[in-house]
Amino acid sequence: MQLIKYPERTEWSAILKRPSFDATSLEEKVKLILEEVKGNGDGALRKFTRQFDGVDIHDAAVSQAEINDSGSRLGDGLKAAIAQAYANIYKFHQAQLQDTIFVETMPGIRCWRKSIGIG
């Protein structure tokens, strides 16, 4: 993470610019991979792990000991970044929780807005 303090106004657009690329061909490649994983399960996962990561895995299950040890393998900077991301995401979505709001627009006519998650 890069921390930028007090940039000049002329630098703002460059700082805020997000990288972009044409994802059309990427989407087709990912679709093929997902279809193969859906059809061939763990065999496809092993194949793609070997192809993309150069690693042969035989058992994809993660042991409880590996889970318990995983936190000690992360650097303090990454832990802080994960904690900050969690806090930001949590705060944003907490603000979206609202009770159903009813509005009587005319006598006997009740309208409402209700937030429902996409499932």
Side-chain angles (χ1 to χ4, degrees), residues 4-12 15:
I4 301 171
K5 290 186 176 185
Y6 316 114
E8 297 294 327
R9 184 175 290 271
T10 56
E11 299 175 76
W12 289 3
I15 292 170

Side-chain angles (χ1 to χ4, degrees), residues 21-83:
F21 66 98
D22 180 13
T24 308
S25 65
L26 179 62
E27 287 178 24
E28 187 57 36
K29 291 175 184 176
V30 170
K31 181 179 176 186
L32 293 172
I33 290 170
L34 291 175
E35 287 173 359
E36 186 166 344
V37 170
K38 185 177 181 180
N40 298 321
D42 287 351
L45 291 177
R46 283 190 285 278
K47 171 190 165 186
F48 291 121
T49 301
R50 187 170 40 257
Q51 179 182 340
F52 296 124
D53 301 323
V55 176
D56 275 319
I57 57 171
H58 303 287
D59 186 5
V62 178
S63 71
Q64 189 61 49
E66 290 172 307
I67 293 170
N68 294 342
D69 183 50
S70 62
S72 66
R73 296 170 159 241
L74 300 178
D76 290 339
L78 181 55
K79 285 181 184 178
I82 292 169

Side-chain angles (χ1 to χ4, degrees), residues 11-20:
E11 299 175 76
W12 289 3
S13 62
I15 292 170
L16 297 173
K17 187 174 183 179
R18 295 194 178 260
S20 64

Side-chain angles (χ1 to χ4, degrees), residues 97-101 113-114:
L97 294 175
Q98 297 176 3
D99 292 330
T100 302
I101 299 169
R113 182 189 70 193
K114 181 177 180 179

